[in-house]
Each structure stands twice: as structure tokens, then as C-alpha cells.
Amino acid sequence: MTHSLPENMPPSTVVVDQADQADDAPAVPARLGPLHLTLPMANVALYLVWMGVGSFLLPIQVAQITGTNDTTALSTASTIGAVLATIGNPVFGQLSDRTRSRFGRRAPWIVFCALLGALALVMQAHAASIAMLGMSWGVVQFIMNGYQAALTAAMPDRVPARKYGTFSALVGLGVPLGTIVAALVIGGVPGTKFGLDGVIGGFGGRFAGENGYYLIAVIVVVAALVFVTVSPDRDARALPRERFSAKAFLANFWVNPKDHPDFGWAFLSRLGVMLGYMIVLTYNMYLLAEHIKIAPQDLLPTQGFLMIVNAVCTVIASLLVGPIADRVGRVKPFVLASGIAAALALVVPMVWPTEGGMLAYNIFGGLAFGVYMAVDMALITKVLPRTADAGKDMGVINIANAGPQILAPTIAGWIVAAGGYEALFPVAAAVSLIGALGVLPVRKVR
């Protein structure tokens, strides 16, 4: 369906009912090329926040405030943040769906959230209590989930279906590349791992505190500005407008799984896979310290090295599998293979609780996660209920990323209390496998 404007009526005055809004995806911009670079770059900046703060700066700050590796305090700070993140994604997603500007629907929110998120990161750098840390991390996650909701909508907005596998892989690079940057800059890597002296990166701990927050804040703002400048969106002022209704706005967040079962199963599948991943990742630093018994002075470099190994393997698998998925036109086999491989990888440190076992886990687990990330966005994009609501629907789906951040700290805490750190691995393996199996009922995707 196409819409033409009445004569002498400017775009800003066009009003239509929601039922009249087009379901067809917007026309793909002629210049798709720059998006190959800017979209993964913007995602790297986003995941530098999640990985750099969540895996490094937050645990370090908790230890500085409490004086110990306090898993309860870490869980409290992480949970407060993740609750607000869950709200932020669909709210900002729907706001961007409704935005009409000469810069497009998404760009204003990407820039706004990047600037506000950077300010919130600077504020978090000065949090002096667990309560303040939890609330400031919550504000950061709420705002940056607005950035994420608008950014992820770029794929259904602007990428043709034949390129979904390739762009899913490119978007998926955000996790491993963000991890690599965080690990190198904040943690550092032992040079001995590569036959060299000293520590590669790390910068003497210069960024393992306030400076780390400042650096990440700058990177987020720069990445957002590059994205909207180098790969600008289409002018959205001529798109039809909906009459605003608070009741309809709130009701629109609900996607009935009976009406859209594929969307529901895709949501549950991602929730399971990400929860299995987060159960181990949430306590990764404490797991190395308390379970693997890494010496305190070696903890950050060791974690940094293992995270880089995991990330490199993820990048390799993602870049290889994305184009293959496009070529064969199938997604389900890759999701199932990744779930099975992730479960098997988690068995390794369970039976081999050493640094070598953790290295093997990160190699195989990284490859498995790379396969999943290569096709995850392709799967999600194909089951969206309405492309006109892509921002909101992607925001709802992204709850399956934020939800595990809420659940994982509490679940992991229960597991450690009941069975010790070694019990984290079999539980995470079972959850990841169940999540991967959740893709089987999806009918629209092969």
C-alpha cells in the first residue's frame, strides 16, 4: 500500500488511523553500502557498554565499595539496572516508530540516547554506594536500551530480506568486538599467552575505574554521530501519522502469542539462549577468582584473555555462517547446532575446572555463540508481526536480552548457594539447549 499527500497539505498535518498504516517495509535506501560498516560499529559501541561496564567496571566498583567480591551486592546492582532496561527497549522502540523527522524515525533517538547515556555513564563513575550504583546503572541501561531499540530497527527498516543473514552476522559482531575492546583496554591480556613479556593493553589499570566510564561514554557518542551521518536514514515526514492514544500506546506493547505464535517462540528461544549465556557470564570474574583460583594480580588479565579468545571465535563463526545462511536459505539448523554446541562447551569446565578448561570452554562456546549470532537477527526479522511497528517489536524482542540480565544474577546466586560455582555450568547448559529447541515450532522460518 502506498500513501500520497493531499494537495497543499504539508507532511506534518497528515493523520491516519493505526489500522490504515502501511504494513509493507519501507523502501530500501539506494546506499546500503555504508550500513555494512556503520551498523556493526554502532553495535560495538553499545556492547562496549554492556560488556565493559557489566563484566569489568561494575564488579570492580562493587568490590571497591564493599571491600570484597560481594556476589549479593553485584546481583542487586545488576538486577536494578536490568529491570529498567526491560522497560526502556519497547518504550523507546515505539516512540521511534511514531517519530516523523527529516532525519528519519530512528536517528533522533539514536543521537539523543547516546548523548544522555554518555552523561549517565559519567554519573555512574562517581556512585559511592551499592544503592547509587544500582540506580545509576539502571538509568544507563534504560537510556541505552532506547539507543538499542532504534538501532536494531534499522535492519527491518532498511535491509532487503536476501541480505538478512549477512547483516545478522554484522549486527552480531557487536558482542564479540565490544568484548575484545573492553578486555584489551580495561583488563589487558598476559603477553606470555603470545610469547611476549608484560601485559598487552590494560594500560596499568588506567581504565579500570572512572576513566573507563569516560572512555566508553565518548565512544558511544562518536559511534552514534558516525552512524547517522555516514548512513543517514530516509526523511520520515511524509509517513502517515497515528492519532495518539495513551491506552493504545500501552496496549500496543502486548504481542498476542496466539495471533503471532512464531514471534512468541522466537522470543522464548532467544530468552533461553541468552539466559544460559548470562548465567555464567554474570559471575565470570568471581568464578575465576573463587572456583578456578586465579591469583588476584592475574585476575583481570586472565579474564581479558579468555574473553578475547571467546570473542575472536565468535567473530570467525559469525562471519562464516551469516553468508552461508543467506545462500542456503535456512536458519533453524544453525540455531539448533549452536544450542547443542553451547551445551557441550559448558561441560568442559565442569569436568576440567582449571584455566585450561576455561580456555577450551571459551573456544568452543565462542564458536557456538558465533553461529547463533549469525542467524539470530535474521530469524527475528522474519517473524516480526508488522514492519510498521518494527521499532516497538524489536524492543519487545530485546526484552529477551534484558530479561536474562534480571534473572541471571538471582538464578546464579541460588545455584552457587545450593551447589557451588561448579553447578553453574550444567544449569546453563540445560537452559541454553532448551532455548535453542524453542526455534523448532517457528513455521515461517526454515
Side-chain angles (χ1 to χ4, degrees):
M1 174 188 279
T2 59
H3 297 266
S4 59
L5 301 180
E7 290 183 5
N8 303 321
M9 183 178 287
S12 60
T13 62
V14 178
V15 180
V16 298
D17 290 327
Q18 183 175 356
D20 295 329
Q21 191 171 7
D23 279 333
D24 294 331
V28 178
R31 296 185 64 218
L32 189 63
L35 208 61
H36 288 83
L37 176 63
T38 59
L39 188 56
M41 181 186 298
N43 270 282
V44 169
L46 173 68
Y47 280 95
L48 184 56
V49 176
W50 302 151
M51 306 306 294
V53 176
S55 295
F56 283 99
L57 297 180
L58 192 65
I60 290 171
Q61 210 166 355
V62 166
Q64 290 172 343
I65 292 171
T66 64
T68 63
N69 293 331
D70 191 334
T71 57
T72 301
L74 177 61
S75 175
T76 299
S78 298
T79 301
I80 293 173
V83 167
L84 290 175
T86 302
I87 300 170
N89 227 303
V91 168
F92 281 104
Q94 187 169 183
L95 288 173
S96 71
D97 284 337
R98 300 179 61 89
T99 297
R100 303 291 182 263
S101 79
R102 65 182 294 265
F103 302 106
R105 293 186 293 172
R106 317 302 178 186
W109 293 103
I110 291 173
V111 174
F112 173 74
C113 290
L115 291 172
L116 203 58
L119 179 61
L121 283 167
V122 172
M123 294 175 60
Q124 183 172 337
H126 299 280
S129 69
I130 295 301
M132 288 177 60
L133 183 61
M135 289 306 300
S136 60
W137 183 224
V139 171
V140 169
Q141 292 208 62
F142 178 77
I143 296 167
M144 290 307 297
N145 268 271
Y147 172 100
Q148 183 175 22
L151 189 64
T152 53
M155 185 164 159
D157 279 356
R158 303 164 67 177
V159 176
R162 69 180 185 278
K163 292 284 188 179
Y164 279 173
T166 297
F167 272 88
S168 181
L170 290 174
V171 170
L173 291 178
V175 177
L177 292 183
T179 299
I180 290 173
V181 175
L184 278 174
V185 174
I186 301 174
V189 179
T192 54
K193 303 292 184 182
F194 304 97
L196 303 172
D197 294 329
V199 176
I200 302 172
F203 304 98
R206 186 176 303 168
F207 296 103
E210 290 182 14
N211 289 338
Y213 282 107
Y214 302 153
L215 179 63
I216 293 173
V218 170
I219 291 174
V220 166
V221 172
V222 170
L225 293 176
V226 169
F227 180 84
V228 301
T229 303
V230 177
S231 54
D233 203 352
R234 299 180 309 117
D235 188 326
R237 288 176 293 180
L239 292 177
R241 295 172 179 265
E242 301 176 27
R243 292 188 179 90
F244 180 78
S245 162
K247 181 179 180 181
F249 184 85
L250 295 173
N252 198 34
F253 290 122
W254 171 247
V255 179
N256 193 328
K258 290 184 178 180
D259 296 333
H260 306 284
D262 285 348
F263 185 84
W265 282 113
F267 178 92
L268 291 175
S269 178
R270 177 187 274 196
L271 182 70
V273 171
M274 296 306 298
L275 180 58
Y277 183 73
M278 291 299 301
I279 284 174
V280 173
L281 183 64
T282 299
Y283 280 4
N284 195 37
M285 183 178 291
Y286 296 165
L287 191 152
L288 290 173
E290 306 293 340
H291 180 58
I292 307 299
K293 306 299 183 184
I294 302 296
Q297 67 273 17
D298 297 326
L299 187 58
L300 276 179
T302 299
Q303 176 167 325
F305 171 69
L306 292 175
M307 289 178 71
I308 287 175
V309 169
N310 185 291
V312 169
C313 292
T314 300
V315 169
I316 292 171
S318 186
L319 290 178
L320 287 175
V321 169
I324 293 173
D326 279 340
R327 192 172 299 115
V328 302
R330 298 180 70 87
V331 171
K332 284 184 181 180
F334 296 104
V335 175
L336 291 173
S338 68
I340 294 170
L344 292 175
L346 283 160
V347 173
V348 177
M350 183 171 59
V351 299
W352 188 17
T354 65
E355 186 176 341
M358 289 298 292
L359 175 60
Y361 156 68
N362 278 279
I363 291 173
F364 296 118
L367 291 172
F369 194 62
V371 172
Y372 179 77
M373 294 304 293
V375 296
D376 172 54
M377 281 294 292
L379 170 68
I380 297 302
T381 304
K382 290 180 178 181
V383 299
L384 292 180
R386 278 173 27 106
T387 52
D389 293 331
K392 183 269 297 182
D393 290 334
M394 293 301 287
V396 171
I397 280 289
N398 283 333
I399 292 175
N401 285 339
Q405 296 178 54
I406 299 172
L407 299 172
T410 300
I411 293 174
W414 291 341
I415 295 169
V416 171
Y421 283 97
E422 61 272 17
L424 290 173
F425 301 110
V427 174
V431 172
S432 294
L433 184 57
I434 292 171
L437 293 174
V439 78
L440 289 176
V442 176
R443 295 182 178 180
K444 287 183 182 178
V445 181
R446 293 191 299 161

